[in-house]
């Protein structure tokens, strides 16, 4: 009885004591275990006068020098030299050189590309990373429900390390009320059940794993199989002076304390960051070449950036994977915003990894899809590929012991370690390649409930099921996603968020083809569309666009779905499937050039509704939105100096996701225009929504839009700042990158918008304003917005008192300006004509840096444009004023010498005065000829998608519940500080150690219940003395458990 009371008291103390007691206990139990917050800051800039000259093949240093000398003879360059690179790859042929050319001859650099052996010339890049470790804040007491989340959005211009603090996660929608519960971090290897494979003799042996990071010390006690350490920096050391590279290597292959997943893997350490946290693109390129030469099997890259048009880097990643290097990369730490995927993890041939916590909640920091490569004309791909533990994961400390870190750079080595472990289980290693490994991972992944495909990809890593698939895998093609169900929410968001109908813009699904048969392949003939007649498949039509060549290991299949005219008034579900046959050259020479083929099926299921009325249909102009890369397009809010680039795609499913969800919730149907204004039927739509437009307009578009408005189309324009003086003065200095950027346009391209609106006597000015105000009893914030400079006399204009942000930027002076016109509403005079609305700031709709939303205003404006009803809250507003005539101030003009033509789809590249290109033809879809099937479609498209010829029941896993591996005994002189409470060895049997507070509460309740049961029984039965029995000694295991060889 006393023991039960003591246990109950202990549970209560643990539950209600603050973070101090937990910290003290943890320090006593595990003195070498540290829980650190990792704060990251990054910088990136072009290296002055230095350029990377890429060649069309690998050549010796002598040949490369001759090519460059020959190319220089055709230029006026006098002062130039090849920058020496002293690293392990110097003795081998290379496909690039770093050349130093003085700035006054910079205009001649591009002429080097005329040489037949020179592929591309790009600036050399310098990347600076700052890692700052601080002790994690203590956990709040159990009666304190507050959680102060401290984080800063920092999206660097270039690739950066992707680590975060140890407690940075949030619950998904299904756990939105859950508060942060600090638990003792678990052993990720045992949580994923890697010990089951260890017991079967698979420990990563024979697999070469490259870690591209900050290095590793030579005699670190956690590693026994470091094959090679190479230094690619300009420092004379191979050791890790920061700890990040050690942590990543430990997650992959540590053999003790905080165990890695593949302890016997052969580690190749590539030190690509200095102790000052500096790196260069050329260092990465040389290191990548050396990895190819060393026949690396798995490469972990815990870095990333938004620049998917960094050609030397992207090309080299393709070359790596083409050489059968399985690249695993972090997807980014820019969540929860959508459209924030980092490169190279967003590439089809790379395994992109997102992060979750140990309770299977999506990590808040984990970047979300879709990919933005394909915008504006197409649609992004599904990424990440897979998610795994990335919050409070243990890894090796710099000199020994363990620490806990969070971030997708933690989740990435978890998957890299799993890949190395899985590769070691395959008897025929030639079957393992970037495609087959990704196929096994995504086919075996466990889907997380309540999370969509652009957050979790295919789901959570399931190591044992992936092993089962690889055990009997046969080379084949597969698809990602493996089916399309526009009725399945929330997983298929955003496809499931809006039904399709006749006359709507085609729904585009971008599917990735994975080709496990070979590095190159092709689609035989064309994809085949087979509708199910009993399930109304003939009511939809399908068109295809696809890769002509699948390389490396992958390609795309874009499917456009539209509703036939006969279903214009019909409502129901339609189903069919697409058949694709992929062929690859057989690798076995004995086949005499024969091809391997694989046929895959893509089930499709859609919901069709009658065509909505015109007033409920809104068309989003995507075509005229530009973003980084390729150009440096600035953010719309100048206050956000730490996040200077507009790189999220400006799409309704990325950084305008909340606005889209809001419009859907109030009954509007939102479609996307990815082509010029000439390419849509305006009679089908009530409102054209133009938000944050940076592109120019074709003259034909201006004429077409005027005609459409006369015929009843309404237009709403949300603009942003544009001021050439501010652009020249600020040059968009970013404190994060410590570099000046000269934007080629402002937050929006106001001169282009004014050309579009001039036919109605409207224009925006070059004023730049910010401030808080109240409109129609709603609190509003104007963030670096413009003013209305000209508006028709019979229009309605509302003004506000705001701060002149332009003056603050130019002269560091503060001036409050009254009666700044920011909102204008106008009914065109033609009979049956549409309405036009102007508002000077889009930040209130944008998820990126929105402080106060203006969704209520958008509701009111759409009610006005769709039905012609002026909102009383606006028509009777006190701040209504006379529309400006535009005579007081000149309208803004385009900045002289801007380079917008380099990135524009509208302008031709003329240096003096860029001219519009010829208007391109509108996209024309060639609908596939259907091959109807008179059979019943499957009722449930989502079942565990099996690869061809795979039956998981054939691979039975052994039961090792009583025989789990232990950590290797310490040698004399080694640290005895275990990172597991009480010295308990890692294994599935100690999974309950360190559970979170709700588990303790449940156990406490059980103890209390047992206490009362015993009390009742003791009162109801007479006491009887029992003879004392000696407590038996714990039995020792006759056969010690197997461990990974050390």
């Amino acid at each position: 009885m006393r023991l039960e009371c003591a246990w109950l008291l202990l549970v209560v103390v643990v539950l209600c004591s603050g973070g101090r007691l937990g910290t003290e206990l943890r320090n006593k139990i595990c003195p070498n275990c540290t829980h650190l917050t990792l704060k990251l800051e990054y910088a990136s800039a072009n290296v002055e006068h230095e350029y990377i000259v890429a060649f069309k093949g690998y050549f010796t240093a002598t040949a490369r020098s001759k090519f460059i000398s020959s190319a220089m003879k055709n230029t006026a360059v006098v002062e130039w030299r090849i920058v020496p690179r002293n690293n392990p790859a110097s003795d081998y042929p290379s496909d690039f050189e770093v050349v130093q050319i003085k700035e006054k001859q910079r205009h001649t650099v591009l002429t080097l590309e005329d040489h037949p052996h020179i592929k591309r010339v790009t600036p050399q890049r310098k990347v600076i990373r700052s890692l700052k470790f601080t002790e994690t804040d203590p956990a709040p007491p159990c009666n304190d429900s507050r959680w102060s989340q401290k984080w800063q959005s920092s999206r660097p211009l270039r690739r950066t390390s992707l680590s975060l603090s140890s407690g940075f996660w949030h619950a998904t929608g299904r756990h939105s009320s859950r508060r942060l519960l600090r638990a003792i971090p678990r052993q990720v290897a045992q949580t994923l059940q890697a010990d089951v494979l260890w017991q079967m003799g698979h420990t990563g042996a024979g697999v070469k794993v490259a870690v591209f990071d900050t290095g590793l010390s030579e005699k670190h006690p956690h590693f026994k199989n470091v094959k090679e350490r190479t230094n690619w920096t300009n420092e004379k050391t191979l050791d890790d002076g920061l700890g990040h590279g050690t942590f990543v290597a430990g997650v992959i292959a540590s053999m003790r304390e905080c165990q890695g997943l593949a302890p016997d893997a052969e580690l190749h350490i590539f030190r690509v960051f200095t102790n000052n946290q500096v790196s260069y693109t050329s260092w990465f390129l040389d290191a990548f070449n050396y990895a190819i030469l060393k026949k690396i099997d798995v490469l972990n890259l815990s870095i990333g950036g938004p620049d998917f048009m960094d050609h030397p880097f992207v090309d080299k990643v393709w070359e790596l994977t083409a050489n059968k290097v399985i690249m695993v990369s972090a997807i980014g730490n820019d969540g929860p915003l959508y459209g924030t995927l980092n490169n190279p993890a967003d590439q089809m041939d790379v395994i992109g990894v997102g992060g979750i916590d140990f309770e299977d909640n999506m990590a808040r920091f984990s970047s979300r899809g879709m990919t933005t490569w394909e915008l504006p004309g197409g649609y992004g791909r599904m990424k990440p590929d897979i998610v795994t533990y990335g919050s409070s994961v243990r890894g090796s400390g710099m000199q020994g012991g363990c620490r806990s870190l969070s971030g997708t750079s933690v989740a990435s080595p978890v998957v890299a370690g799993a890949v190395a472990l899985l590769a070691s289980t395959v008897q025929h290693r030639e079957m393992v390649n970037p495609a087959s490994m990704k196929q096994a991972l995504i086919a075996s992944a466990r889907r997380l409930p309540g999370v969509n495909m652009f957050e979790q990809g295919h789901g959570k890593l399931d190591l044992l099921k992936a092993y089962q698939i690889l055990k009997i895998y046969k080379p084949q093609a597969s698809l990602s996603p493996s089916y399309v169900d526009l009725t399945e929410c929330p997983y298929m968001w955003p496809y499931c968020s809006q039904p399709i109908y006749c006359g709507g813009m085609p729904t585009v699904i971008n599917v990735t083809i994975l080709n496990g048969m070979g590095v190159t392949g092709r689609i035989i003939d064309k994809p085949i569309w087979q509708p199910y007649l009993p399930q109304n498949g003939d009511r939809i039509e399908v068109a295809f666009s696809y890769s002509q060549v699948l390389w490396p290991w992958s390609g795309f299949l874009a499917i456009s779905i539209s509703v036939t005219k006969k279903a214009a008034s019909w409502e129901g579900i339609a189903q069919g499937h697409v058949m694709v046959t992929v062929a690859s050259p057989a690798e076995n020479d004995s086949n005499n050039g024969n091809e391997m083929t694989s046929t895959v099926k893509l089930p499709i299921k859609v919901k069709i509704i009658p065509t909505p009325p015109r007033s409920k249909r809104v068309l989003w102009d995507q075509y005229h939105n530009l973003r980084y890369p390729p150009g440096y397009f600035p953010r719309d809010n100048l206050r956000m100096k730490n996040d200077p680039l507009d790189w999220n795609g400006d799409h309704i499913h990325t950084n305008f996701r909340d606005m889209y969800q809001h419009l859907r919730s109030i009954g509007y149907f939102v479609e996307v225009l990815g082509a010029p204004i000439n390419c849509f039927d305006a009679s089908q739509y009530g409102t054209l929504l133009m938000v944050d437009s940076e592109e120019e307009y074709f003259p034909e578009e201006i004429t077409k839009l005027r005609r459409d408005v006369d015929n009843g189309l309404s237009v709403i324009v949300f603009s942003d700042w544009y001021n050439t003086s501010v652009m020249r003065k600020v040059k968009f200095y970013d404190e994060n990158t410590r570099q000046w950027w000269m934007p080629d346009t402002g937050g929006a391209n106001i001169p282009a918008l004014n050309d579009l609106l001039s036919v109605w006597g409207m224009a925006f000015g070059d004023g730049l304003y910010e401030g808080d105000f109240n409109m129609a009893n709603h609190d509003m914030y104007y963030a670096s917005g413009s003013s209305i400079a000209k508006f028709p006399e019979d229009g309605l204009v509302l003004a506000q008192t705001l701060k002149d942000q332009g003056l603050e930027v130019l002269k560091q002076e503060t001036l409050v300006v009254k009666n700044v016109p920011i909102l204008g509403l106008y009914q065109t005079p033609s009979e049956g004509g549409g309405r036009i609305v102007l508002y000077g700031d889009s930040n209130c709709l944008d998820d990126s840096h929105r402080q106060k939303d203006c969704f209520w205003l958008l509701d009111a404006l759409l009610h006005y444009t769709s039905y012609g009803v002026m909102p009383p809250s606006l028509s009777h507003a006190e701040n209504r004023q006379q529309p400006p005539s535009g005579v007081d101030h000149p309208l803004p003009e385009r900045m002289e010498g801007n380079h917008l033509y380099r990135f524009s789809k509208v302008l031709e590249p003329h240096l003096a005065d860029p001219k519009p290109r010829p208007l391109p033809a509108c996209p024309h879809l060639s609908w596939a000829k259907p091959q109807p099937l008179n059979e019943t479609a499957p009722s449930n498209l989502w079942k565990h998608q099996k690869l061809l010829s795979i039956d998981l029941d054939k691979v039975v896993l052994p039961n090792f519940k009583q025989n789990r591996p232990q950590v290797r005994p310490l040698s004399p002189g080694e640290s005895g500080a275990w990172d597991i409470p009480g010295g308990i060895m890692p294994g599935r049997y100690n999974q309950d150690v360190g559970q979170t507070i709700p588990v303790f509460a449940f156990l406490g309740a059980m103890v209390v219940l047992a206490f009362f049961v015993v009390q009742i029984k003791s009162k109801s039965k007479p006491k009887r003395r029992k003879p004392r029995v000696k407590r038996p000694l714990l039995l020792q295991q006759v056969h010690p458990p197997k461990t990974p060889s050390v």
Side-chain angles (χ1 to χ4, degrees):
M1 191 68 63
R2 291 178 182 175
L3 181 61
E4 291 171 348
C5 292
W7 170 243
L8 176 61
L9 178 62
L10 177 62
V11 170
V12 173
V13 170
V14 171
L15 289 178
C16 295
S17 62
R20 180 182 58 83
L21 176 60
T23 303
E24 291 176 358
L25 288 174
R26 192 157 51 240
N27 290 340
K28 291 178 180 179
I29 293 172
C30 179
N32 276 15
C33 269
T34 57
H35 299 266
L36 299 177
T37 297
L38 180 56
K39 295 182 179 179
L40 302 180
E41 295 178 359
Y42 308 102
S44 175
N46 287 339
V47 180
E48 192 174 17
H49 308 317
E50 289 191 8
Y51 298 87
I52 295 176
V53 179
F55 298 96
K56 297 178 181 178
Y58 283 80
F59 302 97
T60 63
T62 303
R64 299 196 304 268
S65 177
K66 289 181 178 178
F67 294 155
I68 294 176
S69 298
S70 175
M72 288 296 184
K73 291 179 180 178
N74 299 324
T75 69
V77 175
V78 177
E79 297 184 51
W80 66 273
R81 72 182 184 94
I82 296 176
V83 179
R85 311 196 311 273
N86 298 318
N87 56 52
S90 301
D91 298 331
Y92 299 95
S94 179
D95 60 345
F96 77 97
E97 280 287 6
V98 179
V99 180
Q100 189 178 77
I101 304 174
K102 293 302 181 181
E103 186 174 359
K104 62 182 180 180
Q105 286 95 16
R106 178 175 293 183
H107 66 279
T108 64
V109 169
L110 294 179
T111 61
L112 296 177
E113 296 183 359
D114 295 335
H115 192 278
H117 290 288
I118 293 178
K119 178 180 179 181
R120 187 181 292 113
V121 180
T122 54
Q124 164 84 306
R125 302 287 297 179
K126 177 181 179 180
V127 182
I128 301 174
R129 176 180 68 178
S130 300
L131 303 175
K132 298 180 179 179
F133 294 97
T134 59
E135 291 292 336
T136 301
D137 295 334
C142 63
N143 60 350
D144 188 353
S145 61
R146 295 172 296 171
W147 173 34
S148 178
Q149 173 183 286
K150 300 178 181 178
W151 70 287
Q152 182 179 7
S153 173
S154 181
R155 300 181 181 90
L157 303 183
R158 296 288 297 172
R159 287 161 230 292
T160 53
S161 176
L162 299 171
S163 299
L164 285 174
S165 64
S166 59
F168 193 145
W169 58 272
H170 82 136
T172 57
R174 65 190 192 283
H175 296 305
S176 57
S177 62
R178 186 192 302 274
R179 65 186 179 90
L180 179 62
L181 303 174
R182 191 172 300 276
I184 299 174
R186 310 180 194 178
Q187 288 277 31
V188 68
Q190 279 72 30
T191 304
L192 290 172
Q193 296 180 273
D195 46 355
V196 173
L197 298 183
W198 295 344
Q199 289 287 44
M200 299 169 64
H202 307 301
T203 57
V207 179
K208 299 179 180 180
V209 181
V211 177
F212 278 59
D213 219 287
T214 57
L216 179 69
S217 61
E218 183 178 7
K219 296 182 179 180
H220 196 288
H222 287 185
F223 305 96
K224 61 152 185 184
N225 196 16
V226 179
K227 184 69 173 179
E228 184 179 24
R229 297 183 305 145
T230 53
N231 177 34
W232 304 89
T233 71
N234 53 15
E235 294 181 339
K236 304 301 181 182
T237 180
L238 293 165
D239 292 341
D240 183 4
L242 301 172
H244 190 266
T246 304
F247 182 92
V248 169
V251 172
I252 295 172
S254 172
M255 66 174 178
R256 66 170 65 94
E257 298 188 71
C258 32
Q259 282 184 291
L261 283 97
D264 283 331
E266 186 179 291
L267 280 181
H268 293 252
I269 305 300
F270 289 72
R271 188 175 186 268
V272 292
F273 275 97
T274 67
N275 286 334
N276 292 327
Q277 301 164 52
V278 174
S279 187
Y280 292 85
T281 299
S282 60
W283 294 355
F284 275 100
L285 299 183
D286 271 331
F288 284 153
N289 283 341
Y290 192 70
I292 295 173
L293 289 169
K294 288 295 180 177
K295 299 187 183 300
I296 293 297
D297 298 310
V298 182
L299 191 153
N300 181 79
L301 203 60
S302 292
I303 64 169
D307 188 3
F308 54 78
M309 296 189 70
D310 181 9
H311 294 293
F313 194 95
V314 172
D315 289 352
K316 190 57 65 177
V317 170
W318 282 337
E319 186 178 349
L320 275 165
T321 56
N323 282 274
K324 299 188 75 169
V325 178
I326 302 173
M327 179 174 284
V328 182
S329 185
I331 205 70
N333 292 335
D334 298 303
L337 186 64
Y338 281 68
T340 53
L341 301 175
N342 281 218
N343 182 265
D346 62 350
Q347 295 183 208
M348 290 184 286
D349 53 321
V350 176
I351 299 174
V353 184
I356 59 174
D357 67 8
F358 280 101
E359 294 183 355
D360 290 352
N361 300 311
M362 281 302 304
R364 180 182 177 86
F365 56 73
S366 188
S367 290
R368 271 69 167 171
M370 60 184 174
T371 63
T372 58
W373 292 45
E374 298 79 8
L375 299 179
Y379 195 83
R381 287 171 285 107
M382 174 183 175
K383 280 278 183 170
D385 295 303
I386 199 169
V387 295
T388 192
Y389 303 117
S391 293
S392 299
V393 172
R394 277 204 192 99
S396 299
M398 191 160 57
Q399 300 301 328
C402 300
R403 61 166 44 145
S404 295
L405 293 179
S406 298
T408 53
S409 75
V410 176
S412 178
V414 171
V415 172
V419 168
L421 181 59
L422 290 169
S424 69
T425 68
V426 179
Q427 186 175 1
H428 301 287
R429 290 286 176 87
E430 67 275 5
M431 304 282 285
V432 178
N433 58 57
S436 64
M437 184 58 71
K438 184 188 282 194
Q439 287 173 330
L441 292 178
I442 65 179
S444 60
R446 293 171 52 198
R447 183 177 297 180
L448 303 177
V451 183
N452 70 55
M453 60 195 294
F454 288 147
E455 290 184 306
Q456 66 168 313
H458 291 268
K460 171 187 170 183
L461 171 66
D462 190 325
L463 185 65
L464 297 186
K465 284 190 177 179
Y467 161 75
Q468 290 176 298
I469 288 177
L470 280 174
K471 195 69 175 176
I472 51 178
Y473 174 83
K474 294 181 180 179
Q476 60 198 268
S478 65
L479 303 175
S480 172
S482 57
Y483 71 99
V484 175
D485 187 350
L486 274 61
T487 68
E488 181 188 1
C489 271
Y491 180 73
M492 279 285 172
W493 188 93
Y495 298 113
C496 64
S497 62
Q498 180 170 292
I500 63 176
Y501 41 83
C502 181
M505 290 288 173
T507 298
V508 181
I509 300 100
N510 202 339
V511 177
T512 298
I513 304 172
L514 296 173
N515 179 21
M517 298 179 293
V519 65
T520 184
R522 63 186 179 88
I523 294 178
I524 296 179
D525 296 329
K526 294 180 179 179
I528 300 172
W529 164 238
Q530 295 184 306
Y532 292 107
L533 295 182
Q535 277 71 41
N536 309 296
D538 57 337
R539 297 180 185 268
I540 58 176
E541 48 190 358
V542 172
F544 305 110
S545 175
Y546 52 89
S547 302
Q548 297 300 316
V549 176
L550 309 179
W551 184 91
W553 308 103
S554 57
F556 74 88
L557 171 64
I559 303 171
S560 300
I561 304 176
S562 188
V563 178
T564 60
K565 292 182 179 180
K566 69 178 183 180
S569 301
W570 181 80
E571 182 173 359
I573 303 296
Q575 288 185 249
H577 66 243
V578 175
M579 301 291 290
V580 181
T581 300
V582 175
S584 278
E587 294 187 3
N588 192 339
D589 294 336
S590 63
N591 288 338
N592 297 322
N594 292 337
E595 287 186 323
M596 300 176 62
T597 60
S598 176
T599 301
V600 289
K601 179 190 296 186
L602 181 74
I604 293 178
K605 183 178 182 181
V606 301
K607 181 179 181 181
I608 300 174
I609 62 170
T611 303
R614 180 183 187 183
S615 59
K616 283 293 186 180
R617 295 177 62 180
V618 177
L619 186 62
W620 172 271
D621 179 18
Q622 186 69 40
Y623 185 79
H624 295 94
N625 288 335
L626 299 175
R627 85 290 187 203
Y628 174 88
Y632 296 113
F633 296 98
R635 277 288 184 200
D636 306 322
N637 186 348
L638 285 173
R639 290 291 178 194
M640 300 301 166
K641 297 181 181 180
N642 68 314
D643 195 1
L645 296 179
D646 192 354
W647 66 285
N648 304 129
D650 285 345
H651 193 278
I652 57 173
H653 298 153
T654 57
N655 52 308
F656 288 94
R657 175 179 182 268
D658 290 350
M659 180 209 72
Y660 167 75
Q661 294 283 72
H662 175 78
L663 292 180
R664 287 294 301 124
S665 68
I666 58 176
Y668 286 100
F669 295 86
V670 188
E671 302 172 37
V672 176
L673 176 64
I677 292 175
N678 298 66
C679 298
F680 78 97
D681 181 2
S683 65
Q684 299 284 324
Y685 301 93
T687 303
L688 175 65
L689 187 55
M690 310 178 75
V691 179
D692 186 22
S693 302
E694 296 93 356
E695 181 62 279
E696 295 283 337
Y697 296 89
F698 292 102
E700 296 88 345
E701 290 184 291
I702 298 174
T703 303
K704 162 81 159 44
L705 185 61
R706 179 177 184 177
R707 185 168 63 250
D708 290 341
V709 172
D710 288 342
N711 292 327
L713 177 70
S714 294
V715 179
I716 297 179
V717 179
F718 280 77
S719 181
D720 279 298
W721 70 275
Y722 187 99
N723 185 291
T724 55
S725 297
V726 170
M727 291 158 67
R728 290 191 183 97
K729 173 70 175 179
V730 179
K731 297 181 184 177
F732 218 82
Y733 180 74
D734 171 37
E735 292 179 353
N736 189 39
T737 63
R738 308 204 181 275
Q739 184 175 1
W740 298 93
W741 298 117
M742 176 69 79
D744 294 312
T745 182
N749 190 344
I750 284 182
L753 283 172
N754 287 348
D755 289 346
L756 187 72
L757 299 170
S758 62
V759 293
W760 297 286
M762 302 177 182
F764 288 101
D766 63 355
L768 204 163
Y769 302 95
E770 71 166 345
D772 294 290
F773 61 93
N774 186 278
M775 179 185 291
N777 296 321
H778 290 86
D779 291 331
M780 301 277 285
Y781 176 67
Y782 212 66
S784 303
S786 61
S787 60
I788 297 176
K790 186 177 181 181
F791 209 73
E793 292 183 359
D794 53 344
L796 182 149
V797 172
L798 300 184
Q800 295 292 341
T801 299
L802 299 170
K803 186 165 63 175
D804 189 336
Q805 190 178 21
L807 184 65
E808 179 183 352
V809 171
L810 294 172
K811 298 183 178 180
Q812 291 74 51
E813 297 178 5
T814 302
L815 177 66
V816 176
V817 182
K818 296 182 178 180
N819 298 322
V820 178
I822 60 173
L823 175 65
L825 296 87
Y826 178 66
Q827 169 68 63
T828 58
S830 60
E831 183 179 355
R835 290 153 286 278
I836 301 175
V837 176
L838 305 184
Y839 188 70
D841 180 30
S842 73
N843 284 282
C844 57
L845 300 177
D846 191 338
D847 300 346
S848 300
H849 298 298
R850 184 178 62 243
Q851 298 186 29
K852 298 175 183 177
D853 74 71
C854 59
F855 297 156
W856 71 270
L857 177 62
L858 182 59
D859 294 350
L861 298 181
L862 282 172
H863 195 71
Y864 170 66
T865 58
S866 299
Y867 305 104
V869 178
M870 178 71 71
S873 59
L874 300 180
S875 60
H876 298 92
E878 297 179 356
N879 54 344
R880 181 172 177 176
Q881 72 168 35
Q882 185 70 23
S885 61
V887 298
D888 298 333
H889 300 284
L891 299 180
E893 296 182 356
R894 293 168 178 83
M895 187 170 65
E896 185 177 353
N898 75 79
H899 300 100
L900 183 62
Y901 64 87
R902 294 179 179 174
F903 324 111
S904 173
K905 302 180 293 293
V906 177
L907 300 178
E908 283 188 332
H910 292 284
L911 290 175
D913 185 19
K915 303 293 184 182
R917 302 172 188 266
L919 181 69
C922 294
H924 175 72
L925 294 175
S926 179
W927 302 109
K929 184 178 180 180
Q931 297 182 8
L933 298 175
N934 193 17
E935 59 185 69
T936 304
S939 58
N940 181 15
L941 300 189
W942 183 65
K943 48 190 177 182
H944 218 73
Q945 296 295 319
K946 296 180 180 179
L947 295 172
L948 298 178
S949 307
I950 294 294
D951 186 359
L952 296 183
D953 296 333
K954 292 182 179 179
V955 183
V956 180
L957 294 170
N959 186 353
F960 287 118
K961 290 183 179 179
Q962 304 302 323
N963 194 21
R964 295 287 174 171
Q966 296 184 358
V967 180
R968 181 178 73 85
L970 293 176
S971 301
E974 292 181 340
S975 170
W978 297 100
D979 66 336
I980 302 175
I984 302 173
M985 302 303 172
R988 294 292 294 176
Y989 54 79
N990 71 312
Q991 285 292 300
D992 292 333
V993 177
Q995 288 295 317
T996 51
I997 290 176
V999 177
F1000 280 120
F1002 175 76
L1003 293 177
M1006 294 298 100
V1007 171
V1008 173
L1009 180 62
F1011 173 80
F1012 285 111
V1013 169
V1014 172
Q1015 287 281 58
I1016 293 172
K1017 288 186 177 180
S1018 63
K1019 291 181 180 180
S1020 61
K1021 292 184 179 181
K1023 292 184 179 179
R1024 203 170 99 186
R1025 186 169 181 178
K1026 294 184 178 180
R1028 293 186 59 159
V1029 180
K1030 278 189 178 183
R1031 177 177 294 180
L1033 295 175
L1034 292 175
L1035 296 176
Q1036 300 295 324
Q1037 290 184 346
V1038 179
H1039 301 288
K1042 297 179 182 178
T1043 65
S1045 59
V1046 295

